[in-house]
Amino acid sequence: MGQVENEQVEHEPAQNERAENQQTGKGQAGRDDTVWCATLAEWHRRVTAACAPPGRLAGLYATEEGGTPELVAIVGRDQGFLVLRAPVGHDLCYDALTPQVPAAFWYERALHDLSGLEPAGHPRLEPLLLPHLDDLGPVRPGSDLPARGHDARLGVEHVGPVDVTGRGVFTLPFGPVRSGVLESLELLLETGGEDILRINLRPHYKHRQIAKRFEQRTIEDAVLVAERVEGVHSVAHALAFVHAVETGTGVQVPAAARLQRVVVAELERIANHLDVVTQLCDCAGLAVGTARFGLHKEEVMRLMSDATGSRFGRGQVVAGGVRAALRVDPALIGRRVRALQARIADDLGALNSSASFLDRLRTTGRLATDLARRHGALGPVGRGSAVEADTRVWRPYDGYRDLTPFVPATSTLTDALGRLRVRETELAHSSDLISEAADQLTQVEPTLRTPVPPADGRYLGVAESAAGEVLYSLSLQGARVVRCFARSASFHNLVLMHNVFHGDVFTDLGFIEASFGLCYAGVAM
Amino acid sequence: MRLPWLLRGLRDGVVTTGWPARPDDYFDQFPVTPVPTGQPITDTAGMDAAELEALCPTGAINVAADTITLDRGRCIACGRCVTQRPDLFAWRPGSDVARAERDMLIADAAPAAPLPRLRADIAERTTMLRRSVHIRHVDAGSDGSDEWEVRALLNPVYDVHRLGIFFTASPRHADILLITGIGSPGMILPLARTRAAMPDPVVVIATGTDAVSGGLVGPGMGVARLLPVDVFVPGAPAPPFALLHGILLALGRLPRGDS
C-alpha cells in the first residue's frame, strides 16, 4: 500500500509559470503541489510528516465532487501549499489526524458536523458548528442540512462539556448573547471564582451554512458571498477568492487594479487594528483612549466609503481586477492616511505611557512560541508570539509585489501586549503601503479589469486579512462554483484561546479576546 | 508625571454630528441602496423583464406591468443594477431608510405617497421611553460587520449618549431589542429567551439586510419569521446613521418631515 511510484503529482499552473508571473503580475506567485494518495493510511502518514515544523496544517475538508467522497488536507510550507487528497470509503471512516497533528482538532470536528465523516480516535468529537442534535439524519460531504433554517428544534441547547472538577469549581456559561455589542459566541468558563481554570468555546450559534451559499453561483455572485464570510474582512476574503479564480484562469490583473487592491486591503487592515485598540482601551476603562481610537476608526471607514461607496470596501474587488476607479484622488487618499497615521501614532504614544493600561496587557493571555509555531498560528496572534508569517511577504500578491518589501512585524512578548505591538507596527506599515501604492497609481495605465474566461478545476487562493491568512480552495466548473472551502484566520486561530489562560482571571478575558481580534462569523461559517 | 490624556479629548474640537437637530452631509449623502429612477422601460436594450430581475443576486428587483420596484430590504448594495442599467437604477443618497412596515422598504418609481406617521401602537409603547432608552443588541447570525456599525454609535462622531440612548448588558434593563443577522437556527432560542427577559413595552428593530430578509447568505430567512419586528433598517450593513434613524423612528423622535 501507498507505494511512491503510484502517486500522481500534479503541478498547478502557478508553479510552472512562476518566473513569468513575477514579471507580469499573472495569477498568484507560489509553489503549490497536489498529491493524490491512493490510501487513507498513506494520506495520514504524508499529512503528518508534512505538518512537522516548518510545515503547518492550513486547512482540512471533505468533498464529494466526483461522486466519491474525498479528504483534502492543505499544508503550508516555505514557498507554497501542499494539497494532499485521498479517497474515503462510503462508511466515511478514517483515522483521526488530531492525535498526531493537534492543529486538526477543530477541522475534524467541523468535518464530522458538516460532511458526516467519522475520524476514529478523535479526542472530543462533539458538535462544533452545528447545534447538538440526535436526529439530524445522515450527512454527506457537500450535503445540505435536512431541516434548514426554519426548525425550532435546531435551537435545542445542550449543556457544554465540563473538564475540571473539584471542590468549589463550577462552570459559568458566558454567552452566546454577550454583555457588550459583540458577535455571538458561548464561552464556558470553568472557575473556582476568580481564576479561569479552563475555557471551552462553542461557536455553533452563528452557523450560516456559508459553504453551501457558494455552490452553483457564478464567479461574480460568489465574490459577494466571500465578502460576507467575515464582513469585517470583506476585502481580504474577496481577494483570496479571486486569487483562486485568477490562478485557475491565468488572468493577468492590470497594474492599476493590483495597486488599488492594496489601498483598499490596507484601509481594511487599519480599521481592524484600530478596532482592536479601541476595544482594549474600553476593557481598561480608558474613556479618552476609547473615544480617540473610535474616532480614528470612523475616519478610516469614511475614507473607505468615500473611495469605494461602501464602508467595508464591498463590491470593489472583482475577478480580473477591480470594479471601478477609486472615487477619491489617490494622492488625496495618501495624504489623508499619512495625516491620520500621525494622529494615531501620537495617541499610541500616550497609550503606551499609561502604566496601568500596559499592566493589564503584560503576561495576559500568553501563547507559547512553540505552540504557536506547531499550530501555524496566523496573523497578529502568531506574529505576537514570534511566528514570522505574513502572506503579503512570503507569497506576495497583487500590488505587494510592486511595492517596497517590508519585514513582517513580530514580537517575542507572546502576550496581549505583544499582539498590540505587532498591530502598532502594522498600522505604520499600512500607512506606508497606501502612500506608496497611491503614488504609483497616478503613474500607471488606468486599465482596471481583465475579462475572466471560464475555467475547470480546483485552485487555491490566499490573502492576508487583518487577522491573518485567508485561504480558499475553490472548485470551478465552467463559470460556476462547485465547491468552495473558505478558511478564515479566525477559524484557525480561535481554538488557540483554549491554551492561553495561565492564571488569567475573569477581567483578563476581555483583553485576551480583544487582542486575538477575531471575527466569529468566520469561525461558525 | 505626565498626564497624556488630559487635553487630548479637546484636541480636535467638537467632532460630534449635529444630527438630528442639524443636517449632516454624511447622513444626507451616504448611498445605502439604489432605487429605480422612474424612467419608463421603453428602451429595454435587449433585456426582458426576467433579465432585468436577474440583475439582482438577491431578487430585490421586480418588474410588473412596466413598473420597476426594488425591495431595499433585500438589496445588498452590490450596485450591479446601477452599473448595468444606469438609466433604470440609481444610488439614492440619504440614511433615512428605516421604516416601520416591511412593505414600505419596497421603493418604486411612483411619486412617493406621504409616508404615514409612526404606527400608533409603537408610538404608544414608546411614549414612556423617549428621553432615556436602553438597547439590548443580539447577534442572530451576522457576518460581523453589523456589530461594527452598531458599536460605531458609541464613538464620538455619533455619540448616542447625547440623545439619552444607552446600550445595556442585561435584557432586564432594555427597552429596545436591536437584532443583527439572518436569524440562524442556533440563535433561535437565545433570541427568544432574551426577548422574554425584557420588560414590556419592547420595541424590536431588525437592522441590516441580513436581519430584514436574510440577504445573500440566508435567503428566505431574516428575524421577522422568529418574532414580531417593529422597525426595519435596510443596508448591507446598515450604516450608523441609518441605525440612528431607525432608533429615533421607533421612539417617535424624528424631526418633522423626516418620515
Side-chain angles (χ1 to χ4, degrees):
Chain A
M1 50 186 260
Q3 275 143 18
V4 177
E5 54 265 34
N6 287 342
E7 289 158 10
Q8 309 157 21
V9 178
E10 304 161 17
H11 293 283
E12 304 281 338
Q15 186 195 3
N16 301 334
E17 295 162 23
R18 184 157 184 267
E20 182 197 343
N21 289 347
Q22 293 285 6
Q23 304 302 317
T24 61
K26 183 176 173 181
Q28 197 175 9
R31 194 173 295 160
D32 300 341
D33 297 316
T34 299
V35 175
W36 176 258
C37 304
T39 66
L40 279 168
E42 187 205 341
W43 177 83
H44 194 285
R45 179 177 59 72
R46 293 190 64 133
V47 174
T48 306
C51 286
R56 64 187 167 92
L57 185 73
L60 178 64
Y61 70 103
T63 179
E64 200 166 8
E65 287 154 54
T68 337
E70 178 188 316
L71 267 169
V72 184
I74 306 170
V75 180
R77 300 174 300 177
D78 285 346
Q79 287 301 318
F81 291 98
L82 177 62
V83 180
L84 293 139
R85 302 165 57 186
V88 188
H90 283 273
D91 60 350
L92 300 181
C93 285
Y94 74 103
D95 286 336
L97 274 177
T98 303
Q100 285 77 40
V101 185
F105 182 51
W106 270 16
Y107 289 98
E108 295 197 311
R109 285 171 65 181
L111 276 178
H112 182 65
D113 283 359
L114 303 180
S115 301
L117 269 81
E118 290 290 340
H122 189 284
R124 170 171 275 172
L125 202 57
E126 60 185 52
L128 179 74
L129 300 185
L130 292 184
H132 297 51
L133 284 177
D134 302 325
D135 55 348
L136 200 61
V139 183
R140 306 281 303 173
S143 69
D144 216 337
L145 270 187
R148 191 179 68 77
H150 306 271
D151 192 339
R153 287 176 312 148
L154 291 177
V156 173
E157 290 164 89
H158 287 234
V159 178
V162 173
D163 293 321
V164 187
T165 51
R167 191 179 155 80
V169 177
F170 60 97
T171 303
L172 184 79
F174 185 48
V177 178
R178 311 291 306 277
S179 53
V181 180
L182 293 167
E183 288 187 76
S184 292
L185 175 75
E186 188 180 26
L187 304 99
L188 298 167
L189 307 173
E190 298 188 44
T191 177
E194 181 75 34
D195 287 15
I196 295 176
L197 303 171
R198 165 121 188 109
I199 183 168
N200 265 305
L201 302 169
R202 299 212 294 172
H204 67 263
Y205 296 93
K206 279 189 71 126
H207 180 63
R208 294 175 294 155
Q209 287 202 282
I210 279 289
K212 304 310 297 174
R213 299 284 84 80
F214 279 105
E215 291 172 14
Q216 296 311 315
R217 286 199 192 266
T218 61
I219 289 171
E220 197 181 13
D221 284 358
V223 179
L224 301 175
V225 179
E227 288 177 339
R228 283 155 182 81
V229 175
E230 290 183 296
V232 299
H233 306 303
S234 288
V235 175
H237 276 267
L239 282 177
F241 181 89
V242 301
H243 287 157
V245 175
E246 285 156 11
T247 303
T249 55
V251 158
Q252 300 188 25
V253 179
R258 299 207 302 269
L259 291 166
Q260 206 204 93
R261 286 176 174 184
V262 171
V263 173
V264 289
E266 293 303 320
L267 282 175
E268 180 177 271
R269 190 177 326 278
I270 294 175
N272 271 280
H273 286 359
L274 288 173
D275 187 66
V276 169
V277 180
T278 309
Q279 293 209 50
L280 290 172
C281 288
D282 196 28
C283 288
L286 278 179
V288 185
T290 309
R292 293 290 299 173
F293 291 105
L295 174 64
H296 299 326
K297 181 185 165 201
E298 178 66 18
E299 192 170 337
V300 180
M301 304 295 281
R302 290 195 174 192
L303 182 53
M304 185 75 113
S305 74
D306 291 348
T308 68
S310 159
R311 287 165 61 89
F312 293 84
R314 286 184 179 172
Q316 196 64 11
V317 175
V318 295
V322 291
R323 176 179 60 181
L326 294 171
R327 301 176 195 183
V328 179
D329 177 25
L332 180 59
I333 295 180
R335 278 204 302 281
R336 278 173 69 175
V337 168
R338 281 193 298 273
L340 175 66
Q341 174 57 25
R343 291 199 294 280
I344 292 171
D346 191 44
D347 284 341
L348 284 173
L351 191 60
N352 282 318
S353 59
S354 172
S356 60
F357 174 73
L358 297 178
D359 277 349
R360 301 305 309 275
L361 300 185
R362 271 195 202 104
T363 73
T364 300
R366 276 168 293 140
L367 173 64
T369 300
D370 182 48
L371 173 62
R373 185 158 288 134
R374 274 185 287 123
H375 185 81
L378 304 169
V381 173
R383 296 196 283 272
S385 290
V387 177
E388 200 176 297
D390 188 324
T391 317
R392 296 172 295 166
V393 175
W394 76 266
R395 187 187 173 96
Y397 52 88
D398 294 329
Y400 297 109
R401 275 182 285 177
D402 310 324
L403 302 173
T404 314
F406 60 94
V407 178
T410 54
S411 167
T412 52
L413 294 174
T414 75
D415 52 12
L417 185 60
R419 300 190 272 276
L420 175 63
R421 290 283 174 264
V422 167
R423 290 189 173 94
E424 286 173 351
T425 312
E426 290 187 3
L427 282 166
H429 282 173
S430 293
S431 164
D432 293 345
L433 286 164
I434 292 172
S435 294
E436 200 186 344
D439 281 350
Q440 289 195 19
L441 259 178
T442 56
Q443 296 155 21
V444 295
E445 285 273 314
T447 314
L448 294 173
R449 190 172 185 178
T450 311
V452 175
D456 283 346
R458 191 181 306 188
Y459 307 100
L460 293 181
V462 201
E464 183 78 12
S465 75
E469 173 195 271
V470 174
L471 172 68
Y472 274 65
S473 174
L474 175 67
S475 295
L476 291 173
Q477 226 168 59
R480 297 214 175 242
V481 175
V482 187
R483 183 102 167 99
C484 182
F485 170 70
R487 208 282 341 267
S488 66
S490 302
F491 181 87
H492 191 82
N493 276 352
L494 183 60
V495 64
L496 288 170
M497 212 188 277
H498 291 121
N499 303 90
V500 300
F501 286 82
H502 309 282
D504 293 291
V505 297
F506 278 131
T507 48
D508 293 324
L509 178 62
F511 290 95
I512 293 173
E513 202 183 348
S515 74
F516 267 60
L518 304 179
C519 174
Y520 305 138
V523 180
M525 294 307 292
Chain B
M1 183 190 158
R2 290 170 59 215
L3 291 169
W5 295 113
L6 193 60
L7 297 174
R8 207 161 284 261
L10 307 172
R11 184 167 290 178
D12 292 325
V14 177
V15 296
T16 306
T17 176
W19 196 87
R22 286 187 302 281
D24 184 294
D25 281 350
Y26 197 71
F27 181 98
D28 293 334
Q29 284 161 17
F30 189 85
V32 179
T33 73
V35 292
T37 55
Q39 290 291 318
I41 326 173
T42 44
D43 174 22
T44 59
M47 292 175 100
D48 60 18
E51 284 171 313
L52 279 175
E53 289 180 354
L55 281 177
C56 181
T58 53
I61 297 172
N62 184 39
V63 183
D66 291 344
T67 306
I68 302 180
T69 57
L70 190 152
D71 182 355
R72 306 185 84 185
R74 284 184 165 212
C75 174
I76 54 164
C78 65
R80 194 176 296 163
C81 54
V82 182
T83 312
Q84 300 278 321
R85 290 304 297 262
D87 55 329
L88 299 177
F89 301 96
W91 289 98
R92 176 191 173 282
S95 307
D96 52 335
V97 290
R99 296 291 182 267
E101 302 282 349
R102 176 69 182 85
D103 290 346
M104 287 172 60
L105 293 177
I106 299 173
D108 60 53
L115 295 163
R117 300 299 300 171
L118 184 68
R119 272 194 350 232
D121 65 315
I122 309 184
E124 196 179 314
R125 273 184 279 157
T126 57
T127 312
M128 303 294 286
L129 322 168
R130 285 187 186 164
R131 297 295 149 196
S132 171
V133 58
H134 288 71
I135 300 177
R136 175 62 250 187
H137 157 263
V138 173
D139 161 20
S142 76
D143 63 24
S145 61
D146 302 275
E147 282 66 35
W148 270 29
E149 300 297 55
V150 176
R151 278 209 301 270
L153 291 172
L154 296 167
N155 77 32
V157 177
Y158 302 99
D159 185 24
V160 292
H161 293 172
R162 76 198 152 95
L163 300 168
I165 298 168
F166 306 92
F167 285 87
T168 173
S170 169
R172 296 186 201 286
H173 304 156
D175 311 302
I176 290 182
L177 180 59
L178 184 70
I179 311 172
T180 56
I182 60 173
S184 60
M187 283 306 292
I188 292 174
L189 286 189
L191 181 63
R193 280 206 303 270
T194 305
R195 170 63 188 85
M198 292 173 69
D200 289 327
V202 166
V203 174
V204 178
I205 303 179
T207 173
T209 295
D210 282 355
V212 173
S213 69
L216 191 67
V217 292
M221 297 175 82
V223 297
R225 73 182 207 284
L226 305 177
L227 76 180
V229 173
D230 297 304
V231 171
F232 299 86
V233 189
F241 266 133
L243 283 166
L244 189 51
H245 178 264
I247 294 166
L248 296 187
L249 171 71
L251 297 173
R253 280 174 59 184
L254 283 176
R256 272 175 190 287
D258 223 351
S259 80

